[in-house]
Amino acid sequence: MFERISLRRRLVNQLMLGLLFAGAILAAVPFFFISWYVLQKGLGALSVEFFTQTPVGPGQQGGGMANAIVGSSIMLTLASLLGIPWGMAAGIYLSEYGRGKTAQTLRFAVDLLTSVPSIVVGIFIYGVIVIHFGFSAYAGGAALAVIMIPIVARSTEEILKLTPQHIREAGLGLGLPRWRVILRIVLPGSRAALLTGVMLALARVAGETAPLLFTALGNQFFSHSLSEPTSSLPVQIYNFAKSGYPDMEAMAWGGALVLVLFVFIINLVTRALMGMRWN
Amino acid sequence: MRSSDKLFYYLLKTLAWGVVGLLAAMVLVVLWMSWEALGHFGLRFFVDASWDSWREEFGALAFIYGTLVTSFIAVLLAVPVSLAVALYLNELAPPWIARPLGFFVEMLAAIPSIVYGLWGLFVLAPFLRDHVQPLLATYLGFLPFFQGPQMGVGLLGAGVILAIMIIPTIASISREVFKSVPESLREAALGLGATRWEMLRIAVLRVALSGVMGAVVLGLGRALGETMAVTMLIGNRPQIVWSLFESGQTMASILANQYAEADSSLHLSALTAVGLALFVVSLVINSLARWIIWRMQRVV
């Protein structure tokens, strides 16, 4: 009654399933190699000085990346001040009022802005800010904000759409104006998820290097004001990595470890917040 | 509508359309800044491979070549691996493997580009130089692609690091696409006596083909614009050569290398024109990818 599956078909089946498994393993391998090297080479470079000192010249002992860490924090703060409210406003608009063709256009534009190469964002900010005011933390923060806005907008929209419609209707039924329903009922109800979206956007821009190269430039010392060239962790890693001096390269690994830990911890915490949904 | 509601609505609407404004302003500013170079060189700019800031001779062809070659290598290497991991995680793996494995692949997307660059420069490039390039030269050395100096850094090195970086993009979108294939198709294939691989081929891959194309194009878009890792691995010499072992320069990497230190306004403008080309190409590629995915999701 049942014809047995031919040997050739069975072999092909086994071979292809094996290849798929091998490919899946191969895809995960780089994660381990990169994590391992960053951890192993980075740990040796971390010390108290690393977090408290500015860089010293090649061949000298000591020094750290304190100015880069502070610079990155400042520019991330500036980027958040502009990028989070703007992005969230756009996201709320798309979720609460976005219907029809115009909303589709808006969504498309937001997606396109997400996919603009970050170095092009750097050129844009160079043309708008740096040409007139020079390299500064403001310019770097603005570049990072432009990258944050569409990410925050999209995540906000996705999250608010999950709020059941009857919650809005309940609020409106009580006679609350729509803006109060959104601000007092819809947003607070998704607080944890919204925070998650914002944190992920922050993690994403924290590692951005290209848009800072010619907006914030870099600085071997602490900057005295926000309108001066400012150091950042990623740009400092880049400069150290191509310096050719072993002690600076070691510092670069230390910086990479700090950056990767920051990004991974945010990702892990947000995943935990979202209820351990790994798929 | 109440007036407070109106105010809120228009505030949100303005900020939302401000995102479109931002995109438009970006196009205009980049276009305006590249005007001098485009006026000076015309369309010759895009077919000329000379780049000499002393003689002020600028052409983008060598960078376009570098971008195309590295992105092509990246897609060629990343597509089979991404499809394998997407199929395996979605269709074959038991949950206790699929969860952690999926997590590791997703975390690849979270690693900053500069960290890929650092790892690529100090770990991957020496590995390619000592173990991969000698093999390629020995067995495929009769091809012009695998001749010349074995340095690790170069077009091949940049292509490999790009491949690793776009795997999570292609894999995660492919997984979405595979998920949208109706279960009944899989059951029908198995019911007709197909082996599991035949089921995957007939009922999943073939049905999802156009969506997978979208995922690949999106991965290509990411590879084209990727800057730091490529800058650190490509060797930074603008040249058009057959050998993948040789150094090159991409549209993104020339910007990272020279933009902050441009010698003259024509030099700056020429660099911006390279950025404009990169911008336009990435807008086109990403629009195409989203259109393909959108159309596929409407059909299934």
Side-chain angles (χ1 to χ4, degrees), chain A residues 9 13 86 175 179 271, chain B residues 2 4-5 15 106 197-198:
Chain A
R9 283 175 64 201
N13 183 45
W86 191 343
W179 67 276
R271 272 158 200 276
Chain B
R2 301 178 214 197
S4 59
D5 261 350
L15 286 170
E106 274 178 38
W197 161 247
E198 285 164 345

Side-chain angles (χ1 to χ4, degrees), chain B residues 66-194:
Chain B
T67 298
L68 288 180
V69 170
T70 51
S71 304
F72 182 72
I73 298 172
V75 169
L76 205 65
L77 295 176
V79 166
V81 177
S82 310
L83 291 185
V85 73
L87 277 178
Y88 180 73
L89 291 178
N90 270 28
E91 314 282 336
L92 302 171
W96 65 272
I97 296 183
R99 280 182 170 215
L101 205 60
F103 171 71
F104 296 135
V105 175
E106 274 178 38
M107 287 307 278
L108 269 184
I111 298 175
S113 167
I114 183 77
V115 175
Y116 276 105
L118 189 68
W119 181 78
L121 185 59
F122 292 115
V123 182
L124 181 66
F127 176 78
L128 291 176
R129 180 192 62 209
D130 298 338
H131 301 290
V132 177
Q133 292 182 337
L135 272 181
L136 288 172
T138 310
Y139 293 104
L140 296 167
F142 58 91
L143 295 169
F145 312 119
F146 304 115
Q147 294 167 357
Q150 295 165 14
M151 304 173 293
V153 294
L155 293 165
L156 182 69
V160 172
I161 201 81
L162 277 177
I164 299 174
M165 296 176 77
I166 65 174
I167 284 174
T169 309
I170 303 179
S172 75
I173 296 174
S174 298
R175 288 183 73 180
E176 295 292 319
V177 172
F178 294 152
K179 260 185 215 153
S180 69
V181 174
E183 200 57 37
S184 57
L185 290 181
R186 296 182 181 84
E187 286 158 9
L190 288 175
L192 286 172

